[in-house]
Amino acid sequence: AIWNAIGSTLHKEDAQHLVTFHPRGRTQSSDWFHNASWLDFNMIQSGHRRYNQDTAAIDKKYGEDNWKYVQTDYNRKPVKPVIDGEPSYEGIPQGLHDPAEPFWTDKDVRRYGYWSVFAGACGYTYGHNAVMQMYRKGDGGVYGVREYWQDAINAPGASQMIWLKQLICSHNYADRVPDQALIADNNGEKYNRLIATRGKDYAYIYTYNGRKIPVKMGRIAGASVKAAWYSPRDGHTEAIGTYPNKGIMVFDPPGEEKDGNDWVLIIDKV
């Protein structure tokens, strides 16, 4: 009742700005407010924990798979945009509170970004531990912060976010939809997940660890297609070749299969 009162008042007194609700970790605004007239778009907080740090049953519903939250909200009616408002931040301990744990890095924030946007999110929230709290010399920092914000704004993950935007904006944004039917076999689980999206005459498929990608051709227009590898790390594009747009083709990304050797397979109508 309190949140509904706040949301309704904001919407009534300031109709020019969008209103949403920022939920706690591993939950989504749609759990409570999807049908509220004041909620303009849904927000999820996929949170800062890794898979084996989930303890409560509600946390284990989707776990670290932020694409599952997006997929659920994307398919709700009435249709509303959705965004991951707080995924794992770069430079923050896994699990948030214990600095003895490993820290999330640039490869992790890339994974969350491409997973969510390809699943249908309207954008992506990048965060950094030091910037979030504007940590500077002399401050009493929290969450094991190890850098000053003036340095953290140049963190690898921060600069890599531009490549996600550049890729999405390089093709028609308005006709793009999630489409796992592009994957011919075995979408994969957890870090092995392949995630696919397409427009009328193009498709993107993301792999976090550089595993082989089996593609069901013919999901986009055109008798022939050209394929290329796109690097989420530096925006580099490497042409692969031209192929008939039918049957099943398997594409093998450059480099060895390991977490952080992430690639986007781009398929374009010729």
Side-chain angles (χ1 to χ4, degrees):
I2 292 172
W3 293 116
N4 270 315
I6 293 173
S8 297
T9 303
L10 284 170
H11 187 72
K12 177 183 177 183
E13 300 298 333
D14 183 6
Q16 299 304 308
H17 289 92
L18 299 176
V19 179
T20 190
F21 174 76
H22 189 310
R24 72 172 182 82
R26 299 293 205 241
T27 62
Q28 49 214 120
S29 60
S30 58
D31 289 341
W32 305 278
F33 305 116
H34 180 74
N35 292 314
S37 59
W38 55 264
L39 191 88
D40 296 306
F41 66 98
N42 277 305
M43 180 180 288
I44 65 175
Q45 182 190 162
S46 59
H48 305 275
R49 298 190 296 280
R50 60 177 184 266
Y51 292 108
N52 65 359
Q53 290 175 322
D54 286 319
T55 54
I58 191 173
D59 298 333
K60 295 179 181 179
K61 181 173 69 169
Y62 299 140
E64 201 178 325
D65 295 330
N66 74 335
W67 61 267
K68 291 182 179 178
Y69 299 91
V70 172
Q71 184 180 76
T72 299
D73 282 349
Y74 182 89
N75 290 311
R76 291 185 191 273
K77 298 292 187 295
V79 176
K80 293 184 178 182
V82 57
I83 193 167
D84 190 346
E86 190 175 336
S88 297
Y89 289 168
E90 189 170 8
I92 214 165
Q94 295 179 13
L96 189 61
H97 299 290
D98 185 358
E101 293 283 353
F103 282 56
W104 294 112
T105 66
D106 58 319
K107 68 178 185 291
D108 302 300
V109 297
R110 293 197 307 271
R111 170 172 52 84
Y112 279 115
Y114 285 82
W115 271 3
S116 59
V117 171
F118 281 21
C122 61
Y124 175 63
T125 304
Y126 165 83
H128 191 288
N129 189 11
V131 178
M132 173 268 294
Q133 53 188 294
M134 301 305 291
Y135 181 65
R136 58 186 179 179
K137 188 175 181 179
D139 286 349
V142 294
Y143 307 126
V145 63
R146 302 180 295 187
E147 305 160 83
Y148 300 132
W149 74 263
Q150 295 94 331
D151 300 316
I153 57 174
N154 297 310
S159 63
Q160 290 160 357
M161 291 300 100
I162 192 174
W163 308 126
L164 173 55
K165 180 179 180 180
Q166 177 176 286
L167 176 68
I168 294 300
C169 294
S170 68
H171 291 70
N172 190 331
Y173 180 92
D175 71 4
R176 187 179 63 84
V177 295
D179 187 7
Q180 289 303 111
L182 282 159
I183 311 300
D185 178 53
N186 186 16
N187 284 216
E189 296 182 352
K190 296 185 176 179
Y191 297 153
N192 213 34
R193 177 77 177 179
L194 298 174
I195 194 126
T197 185
R198 65 167 176 83
K200 293 178 181 177
D201 54 10
Y202 72 94
Y204 303 144
I205 304 174
Y206 174 78
T207 169
Y208 170 60
N209 57 13
R211 58 169 285 203
K212 292 181 180 179
I213 303 176
V215 181
K216 183 178 181 181
M217 310 297 280
R219 298 291 296 174
I220 65 172
S224 299
V225 296
K226 58 182 179 179
W229 294 115
Y230 182 82
S231 170
R233 299 173 299 282
D234 59 15
H236 171 72
T237 302
E238 182 178 324
I240 304 172
T242 302
Y243 307 94
N245 191 21
K246 60 183 179 180
I248 294 174
M249 291 202 62
V250 179
F251 294 86
D252 189 4
E256 63 178 306
E257 185 175 324
K258 64 176 182 179
D259 292 349
N261 181 36
D262 53 341
W263 293 91
V264 175
L265 174 65
I266 302 176
I267 300 175
D268 275 307
K269 172 186 174 182
V270 173

